[in-house]
Amino acid sequence: APRRSTCALFAQTALREAGVKHPLLDVPFAKRVGMSMADLQTIAHQAGAWCTFGGGQGTPMPGDIAIINDDPIGKVDRAHALVVTEYVPQFNVSNTARLDSVDGGQFLEGGWAITARRRYLKLLQGGKVWTYADEACTQIDRRVYGWVDLDAVVAKFGTAA
């Protein structure tokens, strides 16, 4: 679909590759244009796999799918799904962590691409976690809403290897 990101479709592919079988993963994209992010969240909630920082569910693990959204002033809906490759607490700056990922739907010159990304996370007042483009956490990006626990989704909807 023109002018639409494919990040959630890439994340859904990661679920399929992990052996997840779910009816929403079988519907052709053309029949559900614009629904891939909602479908991803539906699968997570049905599996009991939706996690949030401070919710007692730990931290994202490799293979989990993080969902980020919002700009700092809250005017633009920029939901984005990314597949976590590494989560590392940072001790050089208070309340921060590093999040590495593989992201689908990244617009580069010439079109959409899948890229490796590095973001830094910081816990702000009120318990909200935001992503930053820089290690010093000065270039705010988007709020982390939570993540999909891949192991929990596979446990609920996975197939035996």
Side-chain angles (χ1 to χ4, degrees), residues 39-54:
D39 290 349
L40 185 61
Q41 292 177 6
T42 296
I43 293 166
H45 287 289
Q46 288 177 353
W50 182 249
C51 303
T52 58
F53 283 102

Side-chain angles (χ1 to χ4, degrees), residues 12-13 15-28 32 35-36 38-49 148 152-154 156-159:
Q12 288 179 5
T13 299
L15 292 178
R16 278 189 215 92
E17 289 295 315
V20 172
K21 299 288 186 192
H22 191 282
L24 289 175
L25 297 177
D26 295 332
V27 179
R32 296 193 55 76
M35 295 300 298
S36 54
D39 290 349
L40 185 61
Q41 292 177 6
T42 296
I43 293 166
H45 287 289
Q46 288 177 353
V148 181
V153 176
V154 169
K156 177 76 174 183
F157 299 118
T159 58

Side-chain angles (χ1 to χ4, degrees), residues 62-151:
D64 290 349
I65 300 164
I67 308 290
I68 60 177
N69 197 355
D70 263 1
D71 64 17
I73 56 175
K75 289 187 176 181
V76 180
D77 180 14
R78 301 186 302 149
H80 182 59
L82 50 102
V83 179
V84 176
T85 57
E86 188 173 25
Y87 176 86
V88 179
Q90 302 280 87
F91 299 106
N92 58 336
V93 180
S94 178
N95 293 322
T96 67
R98 189 187 86 216
L99 180 72
D100 294 341
S101 63
V102 176
D103 297 20
Q106 300 298 291
F107 190 77
L108 303 175
E109 273 189 55
W112 300 101
I114 297 170
T115 61
R117 294 286 310 267
R118 174 165 286 172
R119 293 175 176 86
Y120 295 89
L121 308 182
K122 186 172 185 178
L123 176 65
L124 301 181
Q125 285 185 323
K128 294 180 180 178
V129 176
W130 285 80
T131 64
Y132 291 80
D134 63 316
E135 189 171 4
C137 293
T138 59
Q139 300 172 20
I140 195 166
D141 184 33
R142 303 184 214 183
R143 181 177 167 208
V144 179
Y145 279 106
W147 67 93
V148 181
D149 179 338
L150 177 64
D151 290 339

